[in-house]
Amino acid sequence: MERSSSQKGNNLLEYVRKSTPPPFLLKTYMLVEDPATDEVISWNSDGSGFVVWQPPEFARDLLPTLFKHSNFSSFVRQLNTYGFRKVATARWEFCNDMFQKGKKELLCEIRRRKAWANKLHPTVRAASRQDNHQQFNNIDEDQRSSSTSSSSEYSSLVDENKRLKKENRALSSELLSLKSKCKELLDLVSKYAINNHICHNHSFGREISIREEEGGGREEEKGPKLFGVRLEEGDHHTRKRKAENIREMLFSQS
């Protein structure tokens, strides 16, 4: 009698266990179903799986609300233990035949693989390891793709920096050349101005000498004589007047 009651109790617990989905699956289903989080996680186009569109935001904002952690890798490992498969290389898309849109009752059919994985046939375990290996390869491929993209952007920036430096050197060289030509032009103009001033002064000096000679001759001719000897009166005044005339001419020329 006691044995029969105990057996019935075990059967009831087994029924309850089988009719109640695991908490992890229920919480994941809630996240996928919530339209408020569709930008981060949602069903795929046919509802046969779900896609985590923004893993960083999913780990930071959504995981702590239901799973008390923010580790996206841990979430992926949990999915693997319930038989989910990553079915795309370009995005985080997971599928399970019993995890479908509008069929929440199927969640009861999903069980963890950890309890019976050690009892599997070696061929099955090898296939499981191969599947996991493929998943890690997909993750590595995504990481390599991201790294290649970053490397390409860095190379582009380096090339642009080299081009700008080359243009800067060319402009600097052109500026130096223009400065040199400008200096040569200023030197030439200065030299011409000095030579012109010297020539002008020389001509002006000759003109003054000629005028002095002519003026002196006229004065000799016009000066009075006494007993055949020209008087020297007024010589000092004449020289002073000539000097003043020369000074005025020099000032007017300068």
Side-chain angles (χ1 to χ4, degrees):
M1 189 71 177
E2 291 179 359
R3 184 177 299 177
S4 177
S5 299
S6 176
Q7 185 175 359
K8 287 182 180 180
N10 291 336
N11 292 337
L12 181 60
L13 290 174
E14 183 67 17
Y15 173 78
V16 172
R17 187 180 67 84
K18 289 183 178 181
S19 61
T20 303
F24 173 80
L25 297 177
L26 282 174
K27 294 176 182 180
T28 303
Y29 199 91
M30 288 171 56
L31 287 174
V32 178
E33 278 279 270
D34 188 359
T37 61
D38 282 351
E39 293 184 358
V40 179
I41 181 172
S42 68
W43 295 105
N44 59 10
S45 57
D46 59 0
S48 62
F50 67 93
V51 183
V52 181
W53 301 104
Q54 301 181 35
E57 287 76 3
F58 175 76
R60 185 188 65 227
D61 301 330
L62 299 182
L63 280 181
T65 61
L66 295 177
F67 299 99
K68 298 181 180 180
H69 69 81
S70 58
N71 192 328
F72 183 70
S73 298
S74 177
F75 175 76
V76 173
R77 285 195 296 270
Q78 281 284 89
L79 291 175
N80 291 335
T81 62
Y82 282 100
F84 284 82
R85 305 179 308 279
K86 187 175 185 294
V87 295
T89 58
R91 60 185 185 182
W92 294 93
E93 182 175 354
F94 302 94
C95 289
N96 187 303
D97 294 339
M98 300 300 172
F99 194 95
Q100 298 184 18
K101 185 177 182 180
K103 298 180 180 180
K104 190 175 181 179
E105 67 277 3
L106 294 179
L107 296 179
C108 298
E109 303 298 328
I110 302 177
R111 290 288 176 266
R112 292 175 64 93
R113 295 188 302 180
K114 187 175 180 180
W116 46 271
N118 294 331
K119 299 180 181 179
L120 290 176
H121 192 273
T123 304
V124 178
R125 287 202 300 271
S128 177
R129 286 196 298 270
Q130 184 177 1
D131 184 48
N132 291 335
H133 181 68
Q134 181 64 32
Q135 291 177 357
F136 283 119
N137 286 341
N138 292 338
I139 296 174
D140 291 340
E141 184 177 350
D142 292 341
Q143 292 176 346
R144 285 195 298 270
S145 176
S146 176
S147 176
T148 302
S149 176
S150 300
S151 177
S152 176
E153 292 177 359
Y154 176 76
S155 299
S156 177
L157 291 175
V158 169
D159 294 339
E160 180 70 11
N161 189 32
K162 289 181 179 179
R163 184 183 66 80
L164 292 175
K165 285 184 176 180
K166 184 177 179 180
E167 291 181 358
N168 190 27
R169 286 195 296 269
L171 291 174
S172 298
S173 177
E174 185 176 354
L175 180 60
L176 290 175
S177 177
L178 290 174
K179 285 183 177 181
S180 177
K181 291 180 180 179
C182 183
K183 184 177 183 302
E184 292 177 0
L185 180 60
L186 290 175
D187 292 342
L188 181 62
V189 171
S190 177
K191 182 177 180 181
Y192 174 77
I194 292 173
N195 290 337
N196 187 36
H197 182 66
I198 292 174
C199 291
H200 179 74
N201 289 342
H202 181 66
S203 299
F204 182 66
R206 291 181 60 189
E207 182 180 352
I208 292 175
S209 299
I210 293 171
R211 289 181 180 179
E212 286 180 348
E213 292 175 359
E214 292 177 352
R218 286 193 297 270
E219 286 182 357
E220 286 182 358
E221 293 174 357
K222 294 179 181 180
K225 293 182 179 180
L226 180 63
F227 303 111
V229 179
R230 190 171 301 280
L231 296 176
E232 297 297 330
E233 294 179 359
D235 267 2
H236 174 73
H237 296 290
T238 301
R239 287 195 297 273
K240 184 176 181 181
R241 186 172 63 255
K242 288 181 179 180
E244 290 177 353
N245 291 336
I246 292 173
R247 191 179 299 107
E248 290 178 359
M249 293 179 68
L250 286 174
F251 285 147
S252 64
Q253 290 294 327
S254 61

